[in-house]
mmCIF file of all heavy atoms in Angstrom:
data_model
loop_
_atom_site.group_PDB
_atom_site.id
_atom_site.type_symbol
_atom_site.label_atom_id
_atom_site.label_comp_id
_atom_site.label_asym_id
_atom_site.label_seq_id
_atom_site.Cartn_x
_atom_site.Cartn_y
_atom_site.Cartn_z
ATOM 1 N N ASP D 151 56.413 -20.436 -7.579
ATOM 2 C CA ASP D 151 55.879 -19.281 -8.359
ATOM 3 C C ASP D 151 54.506 -19.403 -8.952
ATOM 4 O O ASP D 151 53.964 -18.544 -9.461
ATOM 5 C CB ASP D 151 56.921 -18.867 -9.504
ATOM 6 C CG ASP D 151 57.124 -20.035 -10.444
ATOM 7 O OD1 ASP D 151 56.539 -21.161 -10.336
ATOM 8 O OD2 ASP D 151 58.019 -19.804 -11.371
ATOM 9 N N TYR D 152 53.981 -20.714 -8.876
ATOM 10 C CA TYR D 152 52.566 -20.801 -9.379
ATOM 11 C C TYR D 152 51.616 -20.314 -8.338
ATOM 12 O O TYR D 152 50.419 -20.168 -8.657
ATOM 13 C CB TYR D 152 52.212 -22.233 -9.689
ATOM 14 C CG TYR D 152 52.345 -23.207 -8.530
ATOM 15 C CD1 TYR D 152 51.285 -23.380 -7.703
ATOM 16 C CD2 TYR D 152 53.445 -23.976 -8.285
ATOM 17 C CE1 TYR D 152 51.297 -24.250 -6.623
ATOM 18 C CE2 TYR D 152 53.516 -24.872 -7.242
ATOM 19 C CZ TYR D 152 52.412 -24.995 -6.358
ATOM 20 O OH TYR D 152 52.473 -25.883 -5.369
ATOM 21 N N LEU D 153 52.011 -20.043 -7.092
ATOM 22 C CA LEU D 153 51.117 -19.599 -6.127
ATOM 23 C C LEU D 153 50.861 -18.030 -6.327
ATOM 24 O O LEU D 153 51.784 -17.247 -6.622
ATOM 25 C CB LEU D 153 51.661 -19.767 -4.692
ATOM 26 C CG LEU D 153 51.879 -21.208 -4.284
ATOM 27 C CD1 LEU D 153 52.517 -21.259 -2.875
ATOM 28 C CD2 LEU D 153 50.498 -21.849 -4.204
ATOM 29 N N SER D 154 49.648 -17.691 -6.040
ATOM 30 C CA SER D 154 49.312 -16.295 -6.076
ATOM 31 C C SER D 154 49.521 -15.637 -4.633
ATOM 32 O O SER D 154 49.710 -16.479 -3.689
ATOM 33 C CB SER D 154 47.825 -16.058 -6.418
ATOM 34 O OG SER D 154 47.601 -16.554 -7.669
ATOM 35 N N ILE D 155 49.582 -14.410 -4.552
ATOM 36 C CA ILE D 155 49.612 -13.724 -3.352
ATOM 37 C C ILE D 155 48.619 -12.616 -3.320
ATOM 38 O O ILE D 155 48.326 -12.030 -4.353
ATOM 39 C CB ILE D 155 51.042 -13.190 -2.997
ATOM 40 C CG1 ILE D 155 51.186 -12.699 -1.621
ATOM 41 C CG2 ILE D 155 51.415 -12.062 -4.012
ATOM 42 C CD1 ILE D 155 52.589 -12.432 -1.098
ATOM 43 N N GLY D 156 47.978 -12.479 -2.203
ATOM 44 C CA GLY D 156 46.955 -11.419 -2.163
ATOM 45 C C GLY D 156 46.287 -11.305 -0.836
ATOM 46 O O GLY D 156 46.912 -11.640 0.236
ATOM 47 N N TRP D 157 45.086 -10.729 -0.798
ATOM 48 C CA TRP D 157 44.496 -10.298 0.451
ATOM 49 C C TRP D 157 43.048 -10.753 0.591
ATOM 50 O O TRP D 157 42.293 -10.792 -0.415
ATOM 51 C CB TRP D 157 44.515 -8.813 0.551
ATOM 52 C CG TRP D 157 45.931 -8.205 0.639
ATOM 53 C CD1 TRP D 157 46.634 -7.923 -0.472
ATOM 54 C CD2 TRP D 157 46.619 -7.912 1.804
ATOM 55 N NE1 TRP D 157 47.905 -7.417 -0.004
ATOM 56 C CE2 TRP D 157 47.930 -7.461 1.441
ATOM 57 C CE3 TRP D 157 46.411 -8.086 3.144
ATOM 58 C CZ2 TRP D 157 48.897 -7.065 2.309
ATOM 59 C CZ3 TRP D 157 47.346 -7.636 4.076
ATOM 60 C CH2 TRP D 157 48.566 -7.188 3.605
ATOM 61 N N PHE D 158 42.720 -11.122 1.749
ATOM 62 C CA PHE D 158 41.359 -11.335 2.210
ATOM 63 C C PHE D 158 41.014 -10.480 3.339
ATOM 64 O O PHE D 158 41.883 -9.876 3.946
ATOM 65 C CB PHE D 158 41.108 -12.829 2.583
ATOM 66 C CG PHE D 158 41.322 -13.826 1.394
ATOM 67 C CD1 PHE D 158 42.639 -14.177 1.090
ATOM 68 C CD2 PHE D 158 40.230 -14.294 0.734
ATOM 69 C CE1 PHE D 158 42.721 -15.126 0.061
ATOM 70 C CE2 PHE D 158 40.425 -15.229 -0.312
ATOM 71 C CZ PHE D 158 41.677 -15.667 -0.689
ATOM 72 N N ARG D 159 39.808 -10.291 3.626
ATOM 73 C CA ARG D 159 39.358 -9.576 4.845
ATOM 74 C C ARG D 159 38.132 -10.239 5.434
ATOM 75 O O ARG D 159 37.392 -10.964 4.768
ATOM 76 C CB ARG D 159 39.069 -8.144 4.498
ATOM 77 C CG ARG D 159 37.839 -7.877 3.574
ATOM 78 C CD ARG D 159 37.765 -6.425 3.226
ATOM 79 N NE ARG D 159 36.616 -6.143 2.423
ATOM 80 C CZ ARG D 159 36.326 -4.981 1.930
ATOM 81 N NH1 ARG D 159 37.143 -3.923 2.098
ATOM 82 N NH2 ARG D 159 35.246 -4.767 1.208
ATOM 83 N N GLN D 160 38.002 -9.941 6.726
ATOM 84 C CA GLN D 160 36.819 -10.519 7.462
ATOM 85 C C GLN D 160 36.291 -9.502 8.459
ATOM 86 O O GLN D 160 36.979 -9.106 9.375
ATOM 87 C CB GLN D 160 37.216 -11.810 8.187
ATOM 88 C CG GLN D 160 36.096 -12.593 8.790
ATOM 89 C CD GLN D 160 36.392 -13.935 9.140
ATOM 90 O OE1 GLN D 160 37.612 -14.311 9.240
ATOM 91 N NE2 GLN D 160 35.418 -14.745 9.370
ATOM 92 N N ALA D 161 35.071 -9.009 8.269
ATOM 93 C CA ALA D 161 34.389 -8.200 9.129
ATOM 94 C C ALA D 161 33.818 -8.934 10.269
ATOM 95 O O ALA D 161 33.578 -10.142 10.147
ATOM 96 C CB ALA D 161 33.344 -7.369 8.452
ATOM 97 N N PRO D 162 33.669 -8.305 11.480
ATOM 98 C CA PRO D 162 33.037 -9.089 12.616
ATOM 99 C C PRO D 162 31.718 -9.730 12.237
ATOM 100 O O PRO D 162 30.826 -9.055 11.695
ATOM 101 C CB PRO D 162 32.922 -7.987 13.611
ATOM 102 C CG PRO D 162 33.953 -7.040 13.333
ATOM 103 C CD PRO D 162 34.043 -6.975 11.777
ATOM 104 N N GLY D 163 31.593 -10.989 12.522
ATOM 105 C CA GLY D 163 30.339 -11.734 12.239
ATOM 106 C C GLY D 163 30.090 -12.072 10.820
ATOM 107 O O GLY D 163 29.011 -12.538 10.523
ATOM 108 N N LYS D 164 31.019 -11.712 9.980
ATOM 109 C CA LYS D 164 30.851 -12.140 8.563
ATOM 110 C C LYS D 164 31.993 -13.077 8.071
ATOM 111 O O LYS D 164 32.985 -13.269 8.728
ATOM 112 C CB LYS D 164 30.898 -10.846 7.702
ATOM 113 C CG LYS D 164 29.752 -9.878 7.946
ATOM 114 C CD LYS D 164 29.821 -8.741 7.010
ATOM 115 C CE LYS D 164 28.614 -7.825 7.245
ATOM 116 N NZ LYS D 164 28.642 -6.641 6.263
ATOM 117 N N GLU D 165 31.662 -13.704 6.958
ATOM 118 C CA GLU D 165 32.667 -14.685 6.442
ATOM 119 C C GLU D 165 33.822 -13.961 5.757
ATOM 120 O O GLU D 165 33.716 -12.786 5.342
ATOM 121 C CB GLU D 165 31.981 -15.589 5.465
ATOM 122 C CG GLU D 165 31.376 -14.957 4.201
ATOM 123 C CD GLU D 165 30.533 -15.851 3.424
ATOM 124 O OE1 GLU D 165 29.819 -16.723 3.961
ATOM 125 O OE2 GLU D 165 30.523 -15.706 2.170
ATOM 126 N N ARG D 166 34.927 -14.607 5.679
ATOM 127 C CA ARG D 166 36.047 -14.112 5.043
ATOM 128 C C ARG D 166 35.743 -13.885 3.555
ATOM 129 O O ARG D 166 35.189 -14.785 2.910
ATOM 130 C CB ARG D 166 37.222 -15.009 5.296
ATOM 131 C CG ARG D 166 38.518 -14.383 4.827
ATOM 132 C CD ARG D 166 39.716 -15.221 5.398
ATOM 133 N NE ARG D 166 39.688 -15.279 6.855
ATOM 134 C CZ ARG D 166 40.624 -15.907 7.584
ATOM 135 N NH1 ARG D 166 41.791 -16.434 6.997
ATOM 136 N NH2 ARG D 166 40.529 -15.921 8.897
ATOM 137 N N GLU D 167 36.241 -12.844 3.052
ATOM 138 C CA GLU D 167 35.982 -12.533 1.578
ATOM 139 C C GLU D 167 37.299 -12.087 0.911
ATOM 140 O O GLU D 167 38.162 -11.512 1.546
ATOM 141 C CB GLU D 167 34.912 -11.476 1.381
ATOM 142 C CG GLU D 167 35.304 -10.106 1.956
ATOM 143 C CD GLU D 167 34.229 -9.070 1.702
ATOM 144 O OE1 GLU D 167 33.191 -9.414 1.163
ATOM 145 O OE2 GLU D 167 34.433 -7.920 2.080
ATOM 146 N N GLY D 168 37.384 -12.320 -0.379
ATOM 147 C CA GLY D 168 38.566 -11.872 -1.058
ATOM 148 C C GLY D 168 38.617 -10.433 -1.289
ATOM 149 O O GLY D 168 37.570 -9.692 -1.305
ATOM 150 N N VAL D 169 39.798 -9.850 -1.418
ATOM 151 C CA VAL D 169 39.986 -8.455 -1.689
ATOM 152 C C VAL D 169 40.707 -8.325 -3.138
ATOM 153 O O VAL D 169 40.200 -7.594 -3.961
ATOM 154 C CB VAL D 169 40.794 -7.792 -0.578
ATOM 155 C CG1 VAL D 169 41.130 -6.320 -0.919
ATOM 156 C CG2 VAL D 169 40.079 -7.869 0.753
ATOM 157 N N ALA D 170 41.837 -8.949 -3.170
ATOM 158 C CA ALA D 170 42.608 -8.893 -4.414
ATOM 159 C C ALA D 170 43.623 -9.982 -4.450
ATOM 160 O O ALA D 170 44.133 -10.367 -3.377
ATOM 161 C CB ALA D 170 43.281 -7.512 -4.539
ATOM 162 N N CYS D 171 44.057 -10.367 -5.586
ATOM 163 C CA CYS D 171 45.153 -11.351 -5.664
ATOM 164 C C CYS D 171 45.926 -11.035 -6.868
ATOM 165 O O CYS D 171 45.496 -10.439 -7.918
ATOM 166 C CB CYS D 171 44.551 -12.791 -5.737
ATOM 167 S SG CYS D 171 43.597 -13.211 -7.204
ATOM 168 N N LEU D 172 47.144 -11.466 -6.743
ATOM 169 C CA LEU D 172 48.167 -11.233 -7.827
ATOM 170 C C LEU D 172 48.784 -12.576 -8.183
ATOM 171 O O LEU D 172 49.270 -13.334 -7.285
ATOM 172 C CB LEU D 172 49.313 -10.284 -7.388
ATOM 173 C CG LEU D 172 50.401 -9.943 -8.344
ATOM 174 C CD1 LEU D 172 50.905 -8.550 -7.981
ATOM 175 C CD2 LEU D 172 51.544 -10.927 -8.206
ATOM 176 N N THR D 173 48.702 -12.903 -9.434
ATOM 177 C CA THR D 173 49.326 -14.211 -9.838
ATOM 178 C C THR D 173 50.733 -13.904 -10.097
ATOM 179 O O THR D 173 51.141 -13.031 -11.027
ATOM 180 C CB THR D 173 48.574 -14.757 -11.110
ATOM 181 O OG1 THR D 173 48.485 -13.776 -12.115
ATOM 182 C CG2 THR D 173 47.168 -15.238 -10.788
ATOM 183 N N ARG D 174 51.608 -14.528 -9.422
ATOM 184 C CA ARG D 174 53.029 -14.210 -9.487
ATOM 185 C C ARG D 174 53.725 -14.549 -10.732
ATOM 186 O O ARG D 174 54.790 -14.010 -11.101
ATOM 187 C CB ARG D 174 53.701 -14.859 -8.259
ATOM 188 C CG ARG D 174 53.208 -14.243 -6.936
ATOM 189 C CD ARG D 174 53.594 -15.102 -5.792
ATOM 190 N NE ARG D 174 54.998 -15.267 -5.525
ATOM 191 C CZ ARG D 174 55.621 -16.357 -5.556
ATOM 192 N NH1 ARG D 174 54.914 -17.518 -5.658
ATOM 193 N NH2 ARG D 174 56.963 -16.472 -5.261
ATOM 194 N N LEU D 175 53.159 -15.527 -11.506
ATOM 195 C CA LEU D 175 53.804 -15.837 -12.793
ATOM 196 C C LEU D 175 53.705 -14.799 -13.823
ATOM 197 O O LEU D 175 54.659 -14.597 -14.575
ATOM 198 C CB LEU D 175 53.147 -17.149 -13.303
ATOM 199 C CG LEU D 175 53.397 -18.472 -12.661
ATOM 200 C CD1 LEU D 175 52.558 -19.538 -13.199
ATOM 201 C CD2 LEU D 175 54.939 -18.832 -12.820
#
Side-chain angles (χ1 to χ4, degrees):
D151 59 3
Y152 64 83
L153 294 176
S154 299
I155 189 165
W157 297 87
F158 296 83
R159 66 185 182 185
Q160 189 166 18
K164 296 186 177 181
E165 63 188 36
R166 193 167 299 187
E167 64 179 3
V169 176
C171 66
L172 180 152
T173 52
R174 294 162 62 237
L175 286 171

